[in-house]
Amino acid sequence: MTIEVDHVYKSYDGKTVLSDFSLDIESGKSYLISAPSGSGKTTLLRIILGLEKPDRGSIRLLGDYKYSGLNAGVVFQEDRLCEDCSAAVNTAMVNRRISITSAKEELRKLLPSDELDKPVRELSGGMRRRVCIVRACIIPSDIIILDEPFAGLDRVNRQKAIQYILDAKGTTPLVITDHSAEGLDFCRKVTFGSSDTLS
C-alpha cells in the first residue's frame, strides 16, 4: 500500500504553510520530515490523518485498499494522556484487544516497572513521551505517525525509543518529524524548502 500526498497546498489567514507538496509513503519505508518550527510539518501530518483538509491537492490510498480512511498509530506534539490513569491504562485503552498485562509488557521495554501503575500526571515529561510512543506502536495500523516523539528524552532513552519503534513497526510505514536526525539514519529525509526534496 502507498499513501500518495499529491500536490498539496495549505494556507492559514493568508500565510502559506504547504505549497505544492508531494510525497509517496510506501509500505516498509520510514521517513524523517525535517524543517524549522512553523514550516508546516504538523499540518502535513494532520492532512495525512484526515484531521484537516488541504486547500488544493489530495491524499490517496493506492493499492489493494478496502477502506476510505487510515488506521494510524499516532504521537501528537501534545501527550494527550488521561492524567489520572496509569501508563498501563493509557496504553491499553487505545484498543479493546490490548490487556493491561500486555500493555505493561510493552511499557517495560522503555519504562521502569515501578512507574507503570502511577497516574501519568506523576511521571516526568520524558516518561510520558515514552508512554505515548508505546501507545502509538502497540496497535495494528496502516501507518505510524510520530510528531516530535523524542521531546524530553535524553540521548540514551532516545536511542532505546528509536530501537523500540523499529522493532514494533515491522513493514508498517513510519513518518517522524524531528529537529534532529540523530539515530534516524534508516529514514528517508524529507526537507521542506523552496523545492521539497527527498533523500
Side-chain angles (χ1 to χ4, degrees), residues 69-130:
L70 287 169
N71 180 26
V74 184
V75 171
F76 293 94
Q77 282 194 9
E78 317 83 29
D79 292 334
R80 300 194 182 191
L81 298 170
C82 295
E83 297 292 329
D84 293 330
C85 295
S86 68
V89 169
N90 267 281
T91 302
M93 68 172 54
V94 296
N95 190 305
R96 287 179 294 179
R97 296 181 181 178
I98 299 170
S99 67
I100 294 293
T101 300
S102 60
K104 286 184 175 180
E105 184 179 336
E106 288 300 301
L107 286 162
R108 284 189 192 101
K109 296 175 182 179
L110 292 182
L111 287 135
S113 293
D114 59 358
E115 304 290 347
L116 304 186
D117 291 313
K118 293 180 180 178
V120 293
R121 56 182 157 74
E122 297 180 12
L123 302 183
S124 69
M127 286 184 180
R128 291 166 60 94
R129 285 314 265 175
R130 281 174 271 168

Side-chain angles (χ1 to χ4, degrees), residues 11-76:
S11 298
Y12 296 103
D13 299 322
K15 180 184 177 183
T16 299
V17 292
L18 290 171
S19 178
D20 198 21
F21 181 85
S22 295
L23 176 67
D24 287 347
I25 301 170
E26 303 172 45
S27 293
K29 301 295 173 68
S30 300
Y31 302 83
L32 169 63
I33 299 175
S34 178
S37 296
S39 57
K41 300 187 300 297
T42 296
T43 298
L44 173 63
L45 299 187
R46 289 179 61 82
I47 289 172
I48 292 171
L49 289 167
L51 299 176
E52 294 193 33
K53 293 187 179 297
D55 299 332
R56 281 192 286 159
S58 63
I59 306 297
R60 291 200 292 255
L61 309 179
L62 306 180
D64 183 17
Y65 203 78
K66 302 174 184 177
Y67 308 103
S68 59
L70 287 169
N71 180 26
V74 184
V75 171
F76 293 94

